[in-house]
Amino acid sequence: VQLVESGGGLVQAGGSLRLSCAASGFNFDDSTIGWFRQAPGKEREGVACFSNRDGSTFNAVRFTIDSDNAKDTVYLQINNLEFEDTAVYYCAAGWGPVGGCFPDEYTYWGQGTQVTVSS
């Protein structure tokens, strides 16, 4: 199983960013994919999750997840970036319902991509 995030970087506050997560090694169409972030000294939190099985979605404000099943890739659109969005962003795969997009419900994780927002 591999999950490879890309698209992070340095961006000014107020800008937008689109992260990608390329998945391989498992049945993507049957999975639930989530985007999570972890800032220094803080717990990992879910910002967007999507079920490829039933299409259910969880999106935090300013975050939008979408999935391209033809490419086994999931995207995270972040709009109106704020300094507090600075964190390492991870994608993860699981097989449960989207629910509250909690990290404990996901099995496989990518290595993460750094997003830094300058004020």
Side-chain angles (χ1 to χ4, degrees):
V1 173
Q2 267 200 318
L3 296 161
V4 180
E5 303 96 335
S6 61
L10 177 64
V11 61
Q12 284 191 328
S16 298
L17 204 60
R18 187 170 174 83
L19 306 181
S20 299
C21 172
S24 61
F26 61 96
N27 187 347
F28 185 81
D29 291 346
D30 199 39
S31 67
T32 302
I33 304 293
W35 280 99
F36 304 85
R37 68 182 183 183
Q38 188 164 21
K42 294 189 176 181
E43 292 189 356
R44 192 169 295 188
E45 63 175 348
V47 295
C49 292
F50 176 79
S51 170
N52 284 300
R53 184 183 299 176
D54 63 16
S56 57
T57 306
F58 171 99
N59 288 308
V61 175
R62 298 185 294 107
F63 295 84
T64 304
I65 188 171
D66 65 279
S67 179
D68 185 340
N69 288 52
K71 297 181 179 180
D72 286 3
T73 299
V74 177
Y75 304 95
L76 179 70
Q77 178 73 31
I78 315 173
N79 295 323
N80 194 21
L81 279 152
E82 302 174 351
F83 177 75
E84 291 73 21
D85 293 325
T86 296
V88 178
Y89 284 73
Y90 300 89
C91 69
W95 283 265
V98 167
C101 196
F102 299 114
D104 289 350
E105 298 173 354
Y106 291 77
T107 304
Y108 298 110
W109 291 79
Q111 81 288 348
T113 185
Q114 176 71 46
V115 172
T116 302
V117 183
S118 61
S119 56

